[in-house]
């Protein structure tokens, strides 16, 4: 039986080492990001069935790398749940760096290593019925999804704790027995493997959640002396079950023996010239590793990705990792070049080459001598310009307009597009010979909605940078706002998120960002409420603000008054309002209130 997405069903020109199925459409199907040799591609997964990974001709994910066995691994999908098993391969199969011991369940974001080839899973699971046992893994997944939904609905914190026994192999009942007595009824626990377990912790403030997590790790240490733990919180770190699971697992793998790690430990800060890229998503980490491998070569690189996914940062990574880093990195947006002057802009011209050319001009390509040229939206170039560009790539020489002799040019070309170039070739809008020349190495950048673990990280970083640029105090993003950011699909990707954080830094006057500060697309008010609303015409319906918004503003104002009346003593201020101290401390953080009022 041939599964959907078999490479023979829909052949595409991509990697020389693999024959993947066409990349997933925005319909959000499950897929594998395949990183082999000097390129990456995507393979769409079936909703049900099994996929063989290997070098055999009948393998669904066919790979030609010599480190991969003919039938290397089997990836099965059932009811949206994925699992992988090694098929007795020569070099073995690893998930997130750990060798497989039997079939291993997968979550979206897992990194699968088959020999020297990397596969990153993006998984969309179907809804499953709740099993009877909470301690079963399917039951835990369902319970975790319910806990996350409840946390978002009622604005109560939730989290995922991943406990890794490291090299110690424990029976699942032993792990459960060691922890079950220390869990509350509203928490959940499941055995992930023979030496790992995962827990859902609910209704705990951040400090309490870390304290409980460390205590649970301490209870596991007598059984596994090198045990370690990772914690991910909702919605501060993520707002869906798979993202929280992936973050918690990776945090645990980054922790030292006997220690607890959080989201901050899994963020990689990569300096790219004047910019710093924050990377936390497993697929992006692997793609940047691929860029590091490609950087020293002179091969052209083609970067695929939607608008705003960070294609220019990827080009900067290639430039900074190359011997050309001391020279110029020139970014050119082909779509912004005037159509009548595009060849003059790119290749330059001699005096008198056309009407108005009163002096000779050095073209953009020639001005980047010895450096790297990044051609964004390369598919927007005309066919004649494409022909001249191909000539430059083939001969490393160019001719200015109106010039007879060719000039030597030394540059490395990186091209990017949000279009599917193979389809543009079929439609006659892009030269096939230039496509093959650019297609020597391909990098696919996933959209932001496929790497939601990075949304909180990027949002905080962009907001802090925008506040610093304006010279104002830092802003906090409330949990409710973070939930709104994580629920949005970000069609403009990272660029859109950065722009929205700049908008908040310029418009919010409070100490923290609340939902009513957000643009309407993110769940904010659809029409701003004026400070002094005009008098409504007779008979017009009254205009109201959300009652919850007014109550929160009243509560914040009363807390400020209580702090002033108590001289900044928080316990006394809570007593004045007849509010539990723990609730008062929590709401102070939410509203961005300082312990002592300003004089």
């Amino acid at each position: 039986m041939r599964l959907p997405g078999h490479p023979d069903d829909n052949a595409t020109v991509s990697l020389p080492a693999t024959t993947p199925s066409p990349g997933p459409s925005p319909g959000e199907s499950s897929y594998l990001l395949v990183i082999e040799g000097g390129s990456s591609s995507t393979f769409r997964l079936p909703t049900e069935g099994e996929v063989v990974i290997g070098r055999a001709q009948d393998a669904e994910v066919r790979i030609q790398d010599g480190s991969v066995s003919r039938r290397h691994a089997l990836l099965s999908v059932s009811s949206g749940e994925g699992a992988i098993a090694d098929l007795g391969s020569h070099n073995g199969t690893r998930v997130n760096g750990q060798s497989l011991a039997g079939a291993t369940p997968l979550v979206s974001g897992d990194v699968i290593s088959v020999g020297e080839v990397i596969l990153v899973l993006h998984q969309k699971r179907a809804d499953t019925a709740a099993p009877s046992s909470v301690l079963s893994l399917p039951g835990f997944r369902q319970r975790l999804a319910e806990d996350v939904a409840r946390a978002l609905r009622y604005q109560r914190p939730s989290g995922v704790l991943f406990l890794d026994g490291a090299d110690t192999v424990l029976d699942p009942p032993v792990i459960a027995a060691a922890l079950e007595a220390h869990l509350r009824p509203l928490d959940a626990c499941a055995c992930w493997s023979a030496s790992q377990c995962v827990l859902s912790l609910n209704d705990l403030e951040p400090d309490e959640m870390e304290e409980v997590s460390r205590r649970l790790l301490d209870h596991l240490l007598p059984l596994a002396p090198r045990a370690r733990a990772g914690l991910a919180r909702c919605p501060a770190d993520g707002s869906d079950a798979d993202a929280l699971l992936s973050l918690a697992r990776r945090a645990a793998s980054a922790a030292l023996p006997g220690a607890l790690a959080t989201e901050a430990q899994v963020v990689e800060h990569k300096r790219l010239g004047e910019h710093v890229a924050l990377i936390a998503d497993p697929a992006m980490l692997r793609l940047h590793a691929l860029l590091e491998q490609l950087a020293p070569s002179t091969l052209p690189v083609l970067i695929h990705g939607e608008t705003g996914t960070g294609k220019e940062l990827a080009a900067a990574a290639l430039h900074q990792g190359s011997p050309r880093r001391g020279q110029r990195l020139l970014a050119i947006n082909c779509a912004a070049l005037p159509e009548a002057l595009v060849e003059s802009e790119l290749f330059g011209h001699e005096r008198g080459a056309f009407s108005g050319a009163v002096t000779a001009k050095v073209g953009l390509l020639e001005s980047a001598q010895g450096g790297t040229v990044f051609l964004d939206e390369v598919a927007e170039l005309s066919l004649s310009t494409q022909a001249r560009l191909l000539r430059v790539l083939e001969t490393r020489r160019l001719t200015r307009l109106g010039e007879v002799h060719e000039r030597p040019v030394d540059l490395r070309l990186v091209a990017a597009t949000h279009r599917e170039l193979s389809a543009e070739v079929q439609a006659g809008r892009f030269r096939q010979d230039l496509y093959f020349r650019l297609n020597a190495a391909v990098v696919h950048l996933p959209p932001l909605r496929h790497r939601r673990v990075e949304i909180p990280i990027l949002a905080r970083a962009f907001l802090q940078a925008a506040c610093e640029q304006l010279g104002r105090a830092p802003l906090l993003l409330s949990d409710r706002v973070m939930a709104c950011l994580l629920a949005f699909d970000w069609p403009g990707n990272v660029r859109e998120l950065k722009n929205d954080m700049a908008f908040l830094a310029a418009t919010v006057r409070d100490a923290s960002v609340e939902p009513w500060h957000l643009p309407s697309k993110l769940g904010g008010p659809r029409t701003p409420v004026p400070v002094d609303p005009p008098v409504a015409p007779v008979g017009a319906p009254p205009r109201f603000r959300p009652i919850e918004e007014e109550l929160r503003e009243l509560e914040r104002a009363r807390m400020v008054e209580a702090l002033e009346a108590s001289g900044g003593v928080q316990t006394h201020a809570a007593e004045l309002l007849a509010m539990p101290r723990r609730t008062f401390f929590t709401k102070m953080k939410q509203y961005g209130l300082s312990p002592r009022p300003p004089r």
Side-chain angles (χ1 to χ4, degrees), residues 207-251:
D207 294 343
E208 295 175 311
M209 194 173 294
E210 287 198 23
E211 181 183 346
V212 169
S213 299
R214 295 182 192 280
R215 191 161 59 242
L216 289 169
L217 174 61
D218 290 341
H219 289 303
L220 187 62
L221 287 174
L223 302 174
R226 295 182 58 80
R228 50 196 180 174
L231 177 64
R233 294 170 296 175
C234 171
D237 301 327
S239 64
D240 66 85
D242 277 353
L244 293 169
L245 276 170
S246 177
L247 270 176
R249 290 178 67 192
R250 292 176 52 230

Side-chain angles (χ1 to χ4, degrees), residues 84-281:
I84 192 167
D86 188 77
L87 296 178
S89 65
H90 180 70
N91 290 321
T93 303
R94 301 179 302 281
V95 175
N96 300 324
Q98 297 188 351
S99 299
L100 298 187
T104 298
L106 298 171
V107 299
S108 186
D110 276 350
V111 178
I112 305 164
S113 304
V114 288
E116 300 299 324
V117 177
I118 300 297
L119 304 96
V120 183
L121 175 68
H122 172 80
Q123 188 175 15
K124 181 183 180 183
R125 295 186 290 105
D127 293 334
T128 56
S132 58
S133 173
V134 174
L135 290 178
S136 69
L137 193 53
F140 177 81
R141 286 184 185 273
Q142 180 67 24
R143 171 66 180 274
L144 179 59
E146 294 171 355
D147 288 345
V148 169
R150 188 180 304 109
L152 295 173
R153 184 182 306 117
Y154 297 109
Q155 299 301 311
R156 295 303 304 158
S158 177
V160 173
L161 175 65
F162 197 89
L163 294 172
D164 184 358
D167 300 329
T168 304
V169 177
L170 300 171
D171 292 330
V174 175
I175 301 177
L179 300 176
E180 189 174 17
H182 306 285
L183 294 177
R184 302 165 302 159
L186 67 163
D187 299 329
C189 173
C191 292
W192 189 266
S193 70
S195 61
Q196 298 170 323
C197 61
V198 61
L199 301 95
S200 175
L201 305 177
N202 297 285
D203 204 23
L204 291 170
E205 298 302 328
D207 294 343
E208 295 175 311
M209 194 173 294
E210 287 198 23
E211 181 183 346
V212 169
S213 299
R214 295 182 192 280
R215 191 161 59 242
L216 289 169
L217 174 61
D218 290 341
H219 289 303
L220 187 62
L221 287 174
L223 302 174
R226 295 182 58 80
R228 50 196 180 174
L231 177 64
R233 294 170 296 175
C234 171
D237 301 327
S239 64
D240 66 85
D242 277 353
L244 293 169
L245 276 170
S246 177
L247 270 176
R249 290 178 67 192
R250 292 176 52 230
S253 66
L256 296 173
L260 170 73
T262 58
E263 165 265 341
Q265 274 97 330
V266 300
V267 180
E268 181 176 315
H269 295 70
K270 190 176 183 66
R271 178 161 289 281
L272 304 173
E274 298 178 355
H275 305 282
V276 176
L278 302 180
I279 312 168
D281 181 78

Side-chain angles (χ1 to χ4, degrees), residues 297-380:
S297 74
T298 58
L299 276 175
V301 178
L302 180 61
I303 304 173
H304 280 289
E306 296 179 7
T307 298
T309 50
K311 298 189 287 292
E312 189 167 348
L313 273 181
L318 288 167
H319 179 71
Q320 291 297 324
S322 74
R324 301 172 180 268
R325 69 178 67 89
Q327 302 298 322
R328 186 181 183 188
L329 169 62
L330 177 62
I332 304 172
N333 187 340
C334 298
L337 293 174
E339 185 175 353
L341 300 175
V342 60
E343 293 194 6
S344 171
E345 291 291 326
L346 287 178
F347 305 103
H349 63 257
E350 287 296 294
R351 179 181 178 183
F354 52 84
S355 177
V358 295
T359 60
K361 177 182 178 180
V362 176
L364 291 172
L365 297 181
E366 192 177 347
S367 71
Q369 190 76 243
T372 304
V373 172
F374 171 56
L375 290 180
D376 197 7
E377 301 301 347
V378 69
E380 304 301 324

Side-chain angles (χ1 to χ4, degrees), residues 187 263 273 315 343 417 433 459 500-501 529 542 591:
D187 299 329
E263 165 265 341
E343 293 194 6
T417 177
D433 47 7
D500 284 344
M501 293 302 104
V529 179
Y591 294 141

